[in-house]
Amino acid sequence: EAGVAQSPRYKIIEKRQSVAFWCNPISGHATLYWYQQILGQGPKLLIQFQNNGVVDDSQLPKDRFSAERLKGVDSTLKIQPAKLEDSAVYLCASSLGTGEQFFGPGTRLTVL
Amino acid sequence: TQLLEQSPQFLSIQEGENLTVYCNSSSVFSSLQWYRQEPGEGPVLLVTVVTGGEVKKLKRLTFQFGDARKDSSLHITAAQPGDTGLYLCAGDPFGAQKLVFGQGTRLTINP
């Protein structure tokens, strides 16, 4: 069974530029999560989707971050414009709703 | 706001030693999970504990959920270099499949 796929794996941009991350969850997983993991910290939930609907985006900085899951499968997370403090690993996870979350390898973003 | 505090944040020990990592909160969680994360990879689930006082064993790893479901511990017996990694505890406060993570314990086992 294929795991959660994310791309790109690494991205370096300058502040005020835009960036987008892509996630393909495990087939059949209705729930999809985006997390931000700053160096030395645990992951922080940004947004949770159930199929193509948003369940929780309370910690998503909506002035600059947006996410969508149009067909209830793939998802994209966008940052526009990026700030220095957005440097982090962005993790995507998916779940069948049984409690276990399966994580992708993450995208390491560096904002200069 | 539910917070999980892990201790210690860093631990470096010799192969063969035993160790315990703690995960504490003032909040009650419906379940608590332990993950292990290696560099350049996402976290991988090790165990889920649900019942207060529950103890689960995974080979040399023993996980315990506190009676009040506010804290947990991970004990490793006879640590091996392959146990090196970042250990994260994560709690689900409302049973809504939404996790709050601790800041992690970075464990290094020296040969």
Side-chain angles (χ1 to χ4, degrees):
Chain A
E1 178 182 85
V4 176
Q6 290 189 247
S7 67
R9 292 295 311 275
Y10 305 91
K11 190 74 177 178
I12 301 174
I13 62 173
E14 296 192 348
K15 60 183 179 183
R16 291 188 289 274
Q17 285 188 323
S18 302
V19 65
F21 312 128
W22 173 81
C23 172
N24 182 232
I26 293 173
S27 178
H29 283 197
T31 310
L32 185 146
Y33 309 82
W34 282 102
Y35 290 86
Q36 179 192 58
Q37 185 174 22
I38 294 173
L39 186 64
Q41 299 181 18
K44 183 184 85 171
L45 179 67
L46 293 176
I47 189 167
Q48 177 186 1
F49 291 95
Q50 181 73 19
N51 295 308
N52 61 346
V54 175
V55 174
D56 184 356
D57 63 357
S58 58
Q59 297 194 88
L60 187 72
K62 298 180 188 64
D63 58 334
R64 297 183 301 105
F65 286 65
S66 65
E68 60 183 12
R69 194 184 183 199
L70 291 176
K71 297 184 178 179
V73 181
D74 294 8
S75 177
T76 56
L77 176 69
K78 297 179 181 178
I79 308 175
Q80 180 180 8
K83 292 185 175 181
L84 296 177
E85 58 261 36
D86 297 333
S87 293
V89 174
Y90 290 85
L91 294 164
C92 177
S94 69
S95 171
L96 270 173
T98 58
E100 180 173 2
Q101 296 186 21
F102 295 83
F103 286 81
T107 296
R108 181 175 296 278
L109 174 67
T110 302
V111 182
L112 302 175
Chain B
T1 304
Q2 295 81 17
L3 292 175
L4 282 167
E5 297 282 342
Q6 286 187 238
S7 62
Q9 290 191 44
F10 300 92
L11 184 58
S12 180
I13 62 172
Q14 294 300 119
E15 181 177 2
E17 294 183 354
N18 302 331
L19 66 108
T20 302
V21 176
Y22 299 93
C23 175
N24 295 303
S25 176
S26 58
S27 303
V28 175
F29 290 92
S30 64
S31 66
L32 197 138
Q33 299 177 342
W34 284 91
Y35 288 81
R36 180 177 153 197
Q37 185 177 21
E38 308 229 23
E41 299 180 12
V44 176
L45 180 67
L46 297 174
V47 76
T48 300
V49 285
V50 179
T51 306
E54 183 176 4
V55 176
K56 282 192 174 180
K57 292 192 175 184
L58 185 65
K59 296 184 181 178
R60 294 176 294 99
L61 279 60
T62 302
F63 304 86
Q64 185 164 7
F65 201 12
D67 290 342
R69 307 207 323 270
K70 293 182 179 181
D71 54 82
S72 180
S73 63
L74 158 61
H75 182 80
I76 300 179
T77 304
Q80 299 178 1
D83 296 328
T84 293
L86 179 67
Y87 289 81
L88 295 158
C89 66
D92 183 349
F94 307 115
Q97 312 296 331
K98 199 166 19 180
L99 296 176
V100 174
F101 279 85
Q103 76 272 43
T105 294
R106 188 162 298 281
L107 176 64
T108 303
I109 309 300
N110 304 299

